[in-house]
Amino acid sequence: MFWKFDLHSSSHIDTLLEREDVTLKELMDEEDVLQECKAQNRKLIEFLLKAECLEDLVSFIIEEPPQDMDEKIRYKYPNISCELLTSDVSQMNDRLGEDESLLMRLYSFLLNDSPLNPLLASFFSKVLSILISRKPEQIVDFLKKKRDFVDLIIKHIGTSAIMDLLLRLLTCIEPPQPRQDVLNWLNEEQIIQRLVEIVHPSQEEDRHSNASQSLCEIVRLSRDQMLQIQNSTEPDPLLATLEKQEIIEQLLSNIFHKEKNESAIVSAIQILLTLLETRRPTFEGHIEICPPGMSHSACSVNKSVLEAIRGRLGSFHELLLEPPKKSVMKTTWGVLDPPVGNTRLNVIRLISSLLQTNTSSINEDLMELNSIGVILDMFFKYTWNNFLHTQVEICIALILASPFENTENSTITDQDSTGDNLLLKHLFQKCQLIERILDAWEMNEKKQAEGGRRHGYMGHLTRIANCVVHSTDKGPNSALVQRLVKDLPDAVRERWEAFCTSSLGETNKRNTVDLVTTCHIHSSSDDEIDFKETGFSQDSSLQQAFSDYQMQQMTSNFIDQFGFNDEKFADQDDIGNVSFDRVSDINFTLNTNESGNIALFEACCKERIQQFDDGGSDEEDIWEEKHIAFTPESQRRSSSGSTDSEESTDSEEEDGAKQDLFEPSSAGAEDKMEVDLSEPPNWSANFDVPMETTHGAPLDSVGSDVWSTEEPMPTKETGWASFSEFTSSLRWCPAQDHKSAWRRQRPGYTSQGNQSPSSFLLPRMSWERQ
């Protein structure tokens, strides 16, 4: 957003534009030409809007680059030209949309012979698409005047970029009426019939795929639009044309004409599957169906589509038995002769979609053809094809869950005179589903007992068996399934009952066991605390608060310093404070008014806290309250700044002493704190900062040397705490070092002490250099 305020630095482009002889290529060689164009550089926009520059930009897109150029830079200028023209600059869009000569120059790309250069085609499609979205009326009017536009689109439909352009023409126009005009225009040009004709064995595979995808997207886009505009009085003409029975029959006639071409068959089945998708409201002439979990108002299938497919069910069944010829496939576990193939897999997907409609006539044809039995044979033959296993499982589940409804409710179910589901009886009696499940399970157990590998369909077989059991207990056809199981031969029924209680039950129980434990994994650090010894309950809120405190501190340090081990990657002034970045975010509550917590705190202090002395005062209670007396000189110094200090109370004098102690004085190195030695002191404070101490302790000394009850050495001036070496102000902060009560903070250094519950609970202070 800097360019709005002219805060960006001037680029080399501005310098170039000051020259009168600057060329377009010179500007395009600049790295920041695209950024300057999007930033609305006035001089650059004015230069690009020149007629000769716009014409050159369009020429770069539609003309093939010289063959003798280096491949790395061959498409440099076409790419930059495309990005400049699609940078969404309003002046450029206006000039291109209003200049018919430039549009004609751009349109001439479609006049080239097939196949088009795919990269240049993508540039052309991108530029024309943004013009359609920004100038829809002008561009559509221009294209309508070109009588050969639809012919050229069909000619180059094998190029994916041209297919995208066709779909952009349907999606980029947002106003309802202009969009409806485009749909009517394309329908008058018979775009649907022409795309259907491409799905033919005589056409190339790329044309099959793109034509099929175009028709599928037209169906989805039209249905989505119908869902968004519920009150639309005019139906989508393209969708209505594609759903006509004669169009579907023509499509199926193409793919079953003489030779079997897998590409054409799969492309046609993809179109049928899209038409059988149930995602739209019901209209006149549609059969409403509702699979489990969907509302009745959200799904419908055109009856003409079902009738057209029903007439070719025999041809689809033949594809299951004799698919297009495929070579033998050798795998690591055996030879597939023939392999399943994409054709048969898509035919089974089509059968699954037809079963979802639960149409009586189609169910009868499937029973007569025994298509369900054929796909069950394939299930057990192709042990390792899980794509196949999934579709067969869906087919069986749909048959078991097919509801009983009357024809007046628009769903036609296949029932005999007794009200039974004929397709379900066919599955149990003719296809012998129960027997095949039991035989396959026993075969697998026998193979595994001999050291063989578990069959690849066992997971799907388990789900199918569970689906049968569920249908017996709670399914919509539970009474029929119970009777069909009861009518099984006695030996088969006993095997099934034993299988359900033993093998299937054990498998289900084993499948429900968690693979990974859900218990909390604690840290394995050296300072891990045994909470049983300290009296902390494993589920206590105190332990949880302590754990949360540790994790918040670790997260802060980890995020702020991750990957930066060298000090040069971090701000030296901030390294010392990195542990305090998120102290304010720590959120835990301890109720100190409860007697139980007080007793727990006192017990913890007695058991875990070690004295700081090195043996000189073992009998002395370090927690006993001590009195610190200051010399009159120190008191005079602390009260010299105000004339009213003599009238203050004792507590005010003590506050004044603390004020001098914790705040830097303007006297600098002359400021010292004097301790009254007229009485034998019980202990003296030795701060862990650079100063003169009574023992001459090193700067890094902590522990017993910090707190001492020994007399000061007579050879040195005693009772003074020197702050002369401090170069910056001090501030008071909560201590982060959980091992000592006082901590030194230097730039670039952070003390990481061991943590313990006792030190966690104690309020402490520390000196920290800012």
Side-chain angles (χ1 to χ4, degrees):
M1 301 297 292
F2 290 112
W3 51 82
K4 285 189 176 182
F5 307 100
D6 292 333
L7 297 179
H8 64 288
S9 57
S10 59
S11 65
H12 186 57
I13 290 181
D14 293 331
T15 305
L16 289 176
L17 290 172
E18 293 177 358
R19 292 168 39 195
E20 296 182 357
D21 58 343
V22 63
T23 62
L24 178 61
K25 285 189 176 183
E26 288 180 328
L27 291 175
M28 296 173 70
D29 288 334
E30 294 296 321
E31 295 181 354
D32 56 347
V33 62
L34 295 179
Q35 289 80 356
E36 291 295 321
C37 182
K38 294 179 180 180
Q40 304 287 329
N41 187 311
R42 183 178 58 82
K43 293 182 179 180
L44 179 61
I45 298 299
E46 291 177 356
F47 181 85
L48 295 177
L49 289 177
K50 294 180 180 180
E52 58 274 16
C53 291
L54 284 176
E55 186 174 352
D56 290 341
L57 290 175
V58 173
S59 299
F60 280 131
I61 292 175
I62 65 175
E63 294 179 358
E64 191 78 22
Q67 296 288 341
D68 56 351
M69 292 184 62
D70 187 2
E71 193 68 24
K72 295 182 180 179
I73 61 173
R74 186 182 177 194
Y75 292 98
K76 173 184 176 181
Y77 295 124
N79 181 37
I80 297 177
S81 299
C82 175
E83 294 299 327
L84 289 174
L85 292 175
T86 59
S87 56
D88 207 12
V89 177
S90 58
Q91 300 96 314
M92 200 172 299
N93 293 335
D94 295 339
R95 185 66 61 84
L96 284 174
E98 296 171 359
D99 193 334
E100 189 168 348
S101 61
L102 289 176
L103 288 178
M104 191 61 205
R105 178 69 173 160
L106 185 65
Y107 179 82
S108 64
F109 178 76
L110 292 175
L111 302 177
N112 295 327
D113 296 333
S114 296
L116 297 175
N117 185 311
L119 188 56
L120 294 181
S122 66
F123 297 152
F124 163 79
S125 176
K126 186 176 181 180
V127 173
L128 194 56
S129 296
I130 196 171
L131 291 178
I132 292 174
S133 61
R134 296 294 181 265
K135 300 289 181 180
E137 296 181 0
Q138 295 92 325
I139 302 303
V140 171
D141 291 341
F142 172 79
L143 295 178
K144 285 182 178 180
K145 295 177 182 178
K146 303 299 178 184
R147 299 292 183 181
D148 58 347
F149 174 71
V150 176
D151 296 334
L152 293 175
I153 291 293
I154 297 299
K155 175 183 177 181
H156 300 299
I157 197 67
T159 304
S160 298
I162 304 302
M163 177 196 68
D164 293 337
L165 177 61
L166 175 61
L167 298 179
R168 289 282 185 178
L169 193 60
L170 300 176
T171 58
C172 289
I173 302 177
E174 296 182 359
Q177 190 56 45
R179 183 180 184 276
Q180 190 68 34
D181 294 340
V182 172
L183 295 178
N184 293 333
W185 166 53
L186 293 177
N187 189 52
E188 293 173 359
E189 294 290 335
Q190 297 186 341
I191 187 70
I192 297 296
Q193 293 86 335
R194 296 186 182 187
L195 290 173
V196 168
E197 291 175 359
I198 295 177
V199 186
H200 192 278
S202 61
Q203 298 288 337
E204 299 177 355
E205 184 174 345
D206 291 339
R207 293 174 62 80
H208 291 162
S209 177
N210 288 344
S212 173
Q213 186 174 349
S214 299
L215 290 172
C216 292
E217 291 300 324
I218 288 174
V219 172
R220 294 190 179 100
L221 291 172
S222 300
R223 290 178 175 176
D224 290 341
Q225 190 69 18
M226 293 169 65
L227 288 175
Q228 295 175 6
I229 308 177
Q230 297 287 349
N231 56 355
S232 177
T233 58
E234 190 174 359
D236 190 298
L238 298 182
L239 179 60
T241 301
L242 184 55
E243 287 182 333
K244 291 181 178 179
Q245 185 171 347
E246 56 268 22
I247 299 296
I248 303 300
E249 290 177 349
Q250 179 63 40
L251 175 67
L252 298 177
S253 176
N254 290 343
I255 63 175
F256 291 118
H257 177 73
K258 296 181 181 178
E259 59 177 327
K260 300 176 182 178
N261 184 284
E262 182 174 76
S263 175
I265 293 173
V266 171
S267 298
I269 293 177
Q270 292 295 328
I271 299 172
L272 298 178
L273 291 175
T274 305
L275 290 171
L276 292 176
E277 288 179 359
T278 53
R279 305 190 305 164
R280 60 199 170 109
T282 305
F283 295 92
E284 183 180 358
H286 290 70
I287 295 178
E288 179 185 351
I289 67 166
C290 187
M294 295 185 65
S295 62
H296 286 273
S297 62
C299 47
S300 62
V301 173
N302 195 302
K303 291 186 294 185
S304 60
V305 176
L306 295 175
E307 289 298 325
I309 295 176
R310 184 195 172 194
R312 287 288 184 171
L313 277 180
S315 300
F316 284 114
H317 182 78
E318 288 295 325
L319 290 176
L320 293 176
L321 301 177
E322 296 181 5
K325 297 295 183 182
K326 297 185 73 70
S327 58
V328 177
M329 182 180 295
K330 295 181 180 180
T331 64
T332 55
W333 49 267
V335 178
L336 294 178
D337 187 17
V340 176
N342 201 17
T343 298
R344 291 197 286 183
L345 184 61
N346 278 274
V347 170
I348 297 175
R349 292 181 60 193
L350 178 61
I351 293 175
S352 173
S353 296
L354 292 174
L355 289 174
Q356 186 176 339
T357 65
N358 199 19
T359 308
S360 176
S361 57
I362 292 180
N363 290 349
E364 290 178 359
D365 292 343
L366 291 176
M367 285 188 295
E368 293 178 4
L369 296 170
N370 194 28
S371 299
I372 305 302
V374 173
I375 64 176
L376 272 178
D377 293 338
M378 296 175 61
F379 180 92
F380 294 106
K381 177 181 179 181
Y382 296 96
T383 308
W384 301 103
N385 196 316
N386 290 148
F387 297 103
L388 169 65
H389 302 155
T390 300
Q391 295 303 320
V392 176
E393 178 190 340
I394 293 174
C395 291
I396 295 175
L398 288 171
I399 296 174
L400 290 171
S402 57
F404 285 148
E405 297 185 15
N406 297 327
T407 56
E408 56 263 25
N409 291 334
S410 300
T411 300
I412 305 174
T413 57
D414 184 26
Q415 304 177 15
D416 58 12
S417 58
T418 61
D420 291 340
N421 190 321
L422 293 179
L423 191 59
L424 183 58
K425 295 178 64 177
H426 173 79
L427 180 64
F428 276 82
Q429 296 175 354
K430 180 71 179 292
C431 300
Q432 298 182 341
L433 177 64
I434 299 298
E435 292 88 335
R436 304 196 73 167
I437 292 175
L438 295 173
D439 294 342
W441 198 283
E442 293 175 357
M443 185 184 302
N444 177 74
E445 290 183 343
K446 181 180 178 181
K447 184 176 181 180
Q448 285 189 288
E450 296 174 353
R453 183 180 300 177
R454 181 174 181 265
H455 287 160
Y457 54 67
M458 289 305 298
H460 293 277
L461 192 65
T462 303
R463 292 166 59 92
I464 292 174
N466 285 326
C467 188
V468 174
V469 174
H470 176 77
S471 299
T472 305
D473 298 335
K474 303 178 181 179
N477 303 310
S478 58
L480 177 59
V481 175
Q482 291 175 6
R483 188 168 73 251
L484 291 173
V485 172
K486 186 178 180 180
D487 293 341
L488 292 172
D490 294 340
V492 177
R493 187 177 65 256
E494 293 175 359
R495 288 173 58 197
W496 173 252
E497 293 174 354
F499 165 76
C500 292
T501 57
S502 59
S503 299
L504 184 60
E506 293 174 0
T507 301
N508 291 333
K509 184 178 180 180
R510 184 169 58 251
N511 290 340
T512 56
V513 175
D514 293 334
L515 299 180
V516 180
T517 179
T518 57
C519 63
H520 180 65
I521 301 177
H522 294 280
S523 171
S524 59
S525 59
D526 296 335
D527 59 343
E528 191 168 2
I529 307 300
D530 188 354
F531 288 96
K532 293 182 179 180
E533 294 181 2
T534 59
F536 285 90
S537 172
Q538 291 291 338
D539 297 329
S540 65
S541 60
L542 187 60
Q543 177 192 353
Q544 183 63 36
F546 180 65
S547 177
D548 294 343
Y549 173 79
Q550 287 181 306
M551 291 303 297
Q552 292 186 48
Q553 292 302 299
M554 182 193 72
T555 305
S556 174
N557 290 331
F558 182 77
I559 294 176
D560 293 337
Q561 295 297 330
F562 175 74
F564 299 96
N565 296 324
D566 196 328
E567 293 183 357
K568 69 181 181 180
F569 292 103
D571 189 350
Q572 299 299 314
D573 294 335
D574 296 333
I575 294 178
N577 298 329
V578 68
S579 299
F580 297 90
D581 290 343
R582 301 187 182 180
V583 171
S584 59
D585 296 336
I586 302 173
N587 184 17
F588 57 87
T589 303
L590 297 179
N591 189 351
T592 58
N593 295 326
E594 297 182 2
S595 59
N597 289 344
I598 297 175
L600 182 62
F601 171 74
E602 293 177 352
C604 175
C605 293
K606 292 179 181 180
E607 291 182 9
R608 302 296 296 180
I609 297 180
Q610 301 296 330
Q611 296 183 2
F612 294 104
D613 286 39
D614 57 353
S617 57
D618 294 339
E619 295 80 6
E620 184 179 8
D621 185 4
I622 64 172
W623 302 108
E624 182 180 354
E625 294 185 0
K626 307 297 181 182
H627 176 70
I628 302 178
F630 295 90
T631 63
E633 180 182 353
S634 175
Q635 295 177 358
R636 287 193 302 271
R637 183 178 56 84
S638 62
S639 61
S640 60
S642 174
T643 59
D644 298 333
S645 62
E646 296 178 357
E647 300 177 359
S648 63
T649 62
D650 295 339
S651 59
E652 292 173 345
E653 292 177 358
E654 184 179 352
D655 292 339
K658 293 180 180 179
Q659 182 81 8
D660 291 336
L661 177 62
F662 287 95
E663 294 182 0
S665 176
S666 60
E670 298 299 330
D671 290 345
K672 297 184 179 180
M673 181 183 70
E674 182 180 0
V675 180
D676 186 4
L677 298 180
S678 60
E679 297 179 4
N682 292 324
W683 54 274
S684 61
N686 184 8
F687 301 97
D688 186 18
V689 292
M691 66 176 71
E692 296 179 0
T693 63
T694 59
H695 295 79
L699 296 180
D700 295 333
S701 63
V702 294
S704 62
D705 290 337
V706 176
W707 304 93
S708 175
T709 59
E710 297 180 4
E711 294 290 341
M713 296 296 291
T715 57
K716 284 190 177 182
E717 185 181 9
T718 60
W720 292 92
S722 175
F723 295 84
S724 59
E725 295 185 24
F726 279 87
T727 59
S728 60
S729 62
L730 299 174
R731 71 179 177 90
W732 178 86
C733 64
Q736 297 299 311
D737 187 342
H738 302 290
K739 190 172 183 179
S740 64
W742 299 93
R743 183 193 63 151
R744 178 181 66 257
Q745 282 287 347
R746 295 196 185 99
Y749 170 81
T750 300
S751 174
Q752 301 293 339
N754 294 331
Q755 297 177 350
S756 66
S758 59
S759 62
F760 163 72
L761 293 170
L762 291 176
R764 295 172 309 281
M765 298 179 295
S766 68
W767 288 104
E768 177 183 75
R769 178 172 301 187
Q770 290 281 22

